[in-house]
Amino acid sequence: MPNARLRYVARRIVQAIPILLAIVVLNFCLLKLAPGDAVDVLAGEAGSATPEYMAELRAKFGLDQPLPVQLVRYVGQIATGDFGYSFRHEMPVWDLIVDRLGPTAILMVTTIVLAVGVGVLLGLLAAVNLNTWKDSVISILALVSYATPLFWVGLMLIVVFSINLGWFPTSGMENVAAFYEGWDRVWDIAHHLVLPAITLSLFYLALYTRLMRASMLEQAGMDYVTTARAKGVKEGRITFKHILRNALLPVLTMAGVQVSAMIGGSVIVETVFGWPGLGQLAFESLFARDLNLLLGIFFLSAVLVLVVNLLVDILYTFLDPRIEL
Amino acid sequence: MTDAAAATVPAPPKRFMFWRRFARNRSALVGLAFLFLVILLAAIAPVIYPADPFALVGRPMLPPLSGDFLFGTDTLGRDVAAGIAHGARTSLFIGVVATLVAVAFGTLMGGLAGYYGGWIDDLLMRVTEVFQTIPSFIFAILLVAIMTPSMESVVIAIAVVSWPPLARLVRAEFISLRNREFVQAQVLMGMPDWKVILIQILPNAISPIIVAGSLLIATAILTESALAFLGLGDPNIMSWGFQVGAGRTVLRRAWWICTYPGVAILLTVLAINLVGEGLNDALNPRLRERS
């Protein structure tokens, strides 16, 4: 059995390689599609440059080579972790990204836990109270959150909870001027995290609630439930021991798939709340027309999605022994 | 609603069946009614607000219901209500056009993959998988930024990130229909492939495509508003996302500038989702019983 699983993992990793390559090639195409190249940017930064100097620079960077040669060089660069240089920040793209990884990780992990946890709970509640007012209220809430633009929810939460009630700060990740340390700092960050995490989780919360409800109802109609009932197992035990466990599986798969969408959502939420993560960096690079940086973030988030999907697939084999390896 | 009742009442003509099934879903009717209002607003926007929605018509940041301004004015003195009316045109237009492009392309990819199978299927599905892996919103941002913000670039970007789920759906439909007898009969009689695909298979796969497409319009409107909010909309065209983005900086003093355009987005997207679910009930009655 462990052998079969190992083979399965190896096969999934091999399958991911062409996708990774395709993303690198796509990245290269986008870089080439953009008006102007790195030398134009450099010349622009320097103020003025003679055509001879620019040609010399192009030769130095290999930009005068035919496209396929440039592509091979580009793939080599990415493989060695060289994502180019951000001329705005005067720093390698990689270093900039690593700097901002922490805040985004805090935001996304909190959001996933919140959305999956509360979503599963609400979906369960709706399914157990099927066609009662509780079910209706939960379903309507899910429907509305599903249709709400993230940036708008964020702004409305700021209006109500920061400006009018003064409960939470309007932006940032911590009170830098306070120089908190230890638990005080953790508490401060958590205080800043509340509104962004709620905003980002609303949409996914709605998704998981609907999914969990549908999944519970589907499992409730299965033969094994009838069998359990025929054996005289109590209803509460059927719901929690039998149905719930099986209903959780599709929800977990979705949690993996949604990471891709959540990265997009974090661009919006970080911009609204001034959360100093990758999303805000993407927004800044957009305005500074810092394409190298934007492409670096794009590539890394695609890789992240690939890795998360892989992990969920592997996790799934542990959770559901029926799965074909 | 019971079988006995259905048996005694003579079956209504087929075209009424669709409407009856749709109308059974009350919330879908409410959604449809509201959607009509939005379409009406979009249609008459140039009549009720003939001036350019970017025109500065009053003092900046007037609260709602002051003078002629139902929803107040924004940071520069533009009429928020006029912006909402003109923004309805933008949202609906971009939502529908981007969806049509995405549906056409997704159907082409999924149809070819499902009909031909083999290496064509492998290749096209690999491409689809790549596009599904890429974080779609950042991809859309990149595309618009590279093509420079305009109506066309926003439509292209939304279509490019929206087609993969449709391709998968259409592929699954085509695979299940390809080997059915009525299709095989035409193949044996020498009907060319494109005719089999267009005349025999596609009409039978159209219901799920319509349902998925209608829900896609809602997603497209949300994406468009998010892009415009970040400043990636067409700078010459008024849109709801742009209004919210423009009012952001004065949230503390003038909450209404952000609030009303956001409500417009929310209600429109909600209405389209409700209509989409109603369509699902009416077109795929077998699926209905499950939830």
Side-chain angles (χ1 to χ4, degrees):
Chain A
M1 195 59 191
N3 237 335
R5 179 166 291 134
L6 219 59
R7 264 206 305 277
Y8 171 76
V9 172
R11 199 174 72 227
R12 289 290 287 114
I13 290 176
V14 171
Q15 277 172 352
I17 290 174
I19 298 180
L20 192 65
L21 266 177
I23 294 171
V24 176
V25 173
L26 183 71
N27 236 4
F28 178 77
C29 294
L30 289 172
L31 194 64
K32 289 293 141 189
L33 269 175
D37 58 14
V39 172
D40 289 320
V41 176
L42 261 181
E45 293 288 310
S48 67
T50 60
E52 293 79 27
Y53 179 61
M54 282 173 73
E56 195 183 307
L57 271 180
R58 285 211 167 84
K60 192 178 147 206
F61 290 135
L63 291 170
D64 56 346
Q65 305 278 326
L67 277 183
V69 178
Q70 286 191 41
L71 175 62
V72 172
R73 275 176 64 121
Y74 184 74
V75 174
Q77 277 175 5
I78 296 281
T80 54
D82 176 8
F83 290 90
Y85 193 78
S86 162
F87 295 102
R88 293 289 157 185
H89 295 266
E90 304 193 324
M91 262 171 100
V93 165
W94 177 252
D95 294 356
L96 274 166
I97 291 176
V98 170
D99 266 1
R100 302 290 194 101
L101 221 49
T104 295
I106 294 177
L107 179 63
M108 289 198 26
V109 170
T110 315
T111 302
I112 292 175
V113 171
L114 201 66
V116 175
V118 180
V120 163
L121 214 64
L122 286 179
L124 179 69
L125 206 63
V128 170
N129 298 298
L130 190 65
N131 294 330
T132 64
W133 65 270
K134 280 183 198 157
D135 181 26
S136 309
V137 168
I138 292 173
S139 296
I140 290 171
L141 278 182
L143 208 59
V144 172
S145 338
Y146 204 67
T148 318
L150 275 182
F151 55 88
W152 184 74
V153 184
L155 293 173
M156 290 303 111
L157 287 179
I158 290 178
V159 169
V160 175
F161 292 103
S162 302
I163 297 177
N164 285 330
L165 295 173
W167 289 356
F168 299 105
T170 51
S171 75
M173 186 173 81
E174 56 185 322
N175 192 345
V176 187
F179 295 108
Y180 288 124
E181 275 176 27
W183 284 109
D184 286 343
R185 184 161 179 234
V186 172
W187 177 247
D188 187 37
I189 291 179
H191 191 214
H192 280 79
L193 181 61
V194 174
L195 292 185
I198 290 179
T199 306
L200 188 53
S201 55
L202 260 188
F203 176 85
Y204 306 99
L205 186 74
L207 199 74
Y208 296 132
T209 303
R210 293 175 66 150
L211 196 67
M212 185 64 190
R213 180 177 178 275
S215 179
M216 286 289 288
L217 293 181
E218 191 181 336
Q219 291 294 329
M222 294 283 196
D223 286 342
Y224 71 87
V225 177
T226 316
T227 310
R229 201 164 279 142
K231 283 196 311 186
V233 181
K234 291 225 168 61
E235 280 302 315
R237 202 180 150 79
I238 292 179
T239 304
F240 291 102
K241 284 271 169 181
H242 297 247
I243 303 178
L244 178 62
R245 286 188 179 185
N246 288 294
L248 275 174
L249 281 175
V251 179
L252 274 179
T253 329
M254 260 322 247
V257 175
Q258 289 304 320
V259 165
S260 161
M262 204 170 275
I263 290 171
S266 74
V267 177
I268 297 276
V269 170
E270 289 183 12
T271 306
V272 169
F273 288 97
W275 189 262
L278 277 181
Q280 203 194 34
L281 190 65
F283 180 69
E284 289 165 8
S285 61
L286 190 64
F287 271 79
R289 305 208 54 74
D290 193 341
L291 198 63
N292 264 353
L293 184 51
L294 197 54
L295 279 170
I297 296 171
F298 174 60
F299 178 73
L300 277 180
S301 42
V303 172
L304 179 71
V305 174
L306 207 58
V307 171
V308 169
N309 284 347
L310 201 64
L311 288 179
V312 169
D313 276 359
I314 294 169
L315 188 68
Y316 211 77
T317 65
F318 285 93
L319 292 173
D320 189 352
R322 288 167 306 180
I323 202 102
E324 264 181 68
L325 290 178
Chain B
M1 208 84 72
T2 60
D3 287 345
T8 51
V9 178
K14 217 171 177 186
R15 60 204 147 98
F16 292 127
M17 277 303 284
F18 167 78
W19 177 246
R20 277 184 39 161
R21 287 210 195 101
F22 184 86
R24 226 167 31 188
N25 184 338
R26 285 292 147 80
S27 47
L29 280 182
V30 176
L32 189 65
F34 188 79
L35 191 58
F36 268 126
L37 284 182
V38 179
I39 293 171
L40 185 70
L41 179 67
I44 62 170
V47 181
I48 50 175
Y49 294 107
D52 181 359
F54 285 97
L56 312 181
V57 290
R59 280 196 299 118
M61 289 193 268
L62 286 172
L65 293 175
S66 43
D68 289 339
F69 308 116
L70 181 61
F71 294 140
T73 58
D74 74 357
T75 45
L76 299 175
R78 294 176 289 222
D79 186 351
V80 174
I84 290 179
H86 283 265
R89 298 167 76 86
T90 315
S91 284
L92 291 179
F93 180 78
I94 290 184
V96 170
V97 176
T99 300
L100 285 179
V101 177
V103 167
F105 190 69
T107 305
L108 181 70
M109 295 286 277
L112 290 178
Y115 184 78
Y116 287 106
W119 68 268
I120 297 182
D121 186 24
D122 276 347
L123 179 73
L124 294 183
M125 281 304 111
R126 273 301 159 82
V127 174
T128 311
E129 207 178 330
V130 171
F131 277 84
Q132 271 192 316
T133 305
I134 297 168
S136 59
F137 188 62
I138 298 195
F139 191 33
I141 289 178
L142 255 173
L143 287 174
V144 176
I146 286 174
M147 291 186 284
T148 66
S150 71
M151 197 85 140
E152 296 84 43
S153 63
V154 171
V155 166
I156 293 172
I158 295 175
V160 166
V161 301
S162 309
W163 65 268
L166 255 145
R168 286 189 174 274
L169 177 85
V170 173
R171 172 178 175 267
E173 289 292 321
F174 268 58
I175 286 177
S176 79
L177 286 167
R178 177 183 57 186
N179 293 322
R180 297 275 280 275
E181 277 163 13
F182 70 91
V183 176
Q184 287 302 316
Q186 299 299 332
V187 174
L188 279 177
M189 283 164 72
M191 190 184 259
D193 284 351
W194 66 269
K195 248 184 163 171
V196 176
I197 291 175
L198 282 183
I199 301 176
Q200 299 296 329
I201 303 184
L202 195 57
N204 285 293
I206 208 79
S207 300
I209 296 178
I210 289 177
V211 171
S214 67
L215 295 173
L216 202 56
I217 296 178
T219 318
I221 290 179
L222 279 180
T223 310
E224 184 273 330
S225 69
L227 286 171
F229 172 76
L230 291 179
L232 287 171
D234 191 320
N236 302 314
I237 293 169
M238 185 50 84
S239 88
W240 293 336
F242 166 80
Q243 287 186 290
V244 178
R248 221 186 110 197
T249 46
V250 293
L251 201 56
R252 205 171 277 278
R253 281 180 297 161
W255 54 269
W256 56 89
I257 304 175
C258 288
T259 307
Y260 294 116
V263 173
I265 303 172
L266 166 59
L267 290 178
T268 307
V269 172
L270 185 61
I272 295 174
N273 280 337
L274 291 176
V275 171
E277 284 187 5
L279 282 177
N280 192 29
D281 289 353
L283 292 171
N284 303 330
R286 273 162 301 147
L287 292 177
R288 187 195 155 80
E289 315 304 331
R290 298 178 64 185
S291 59

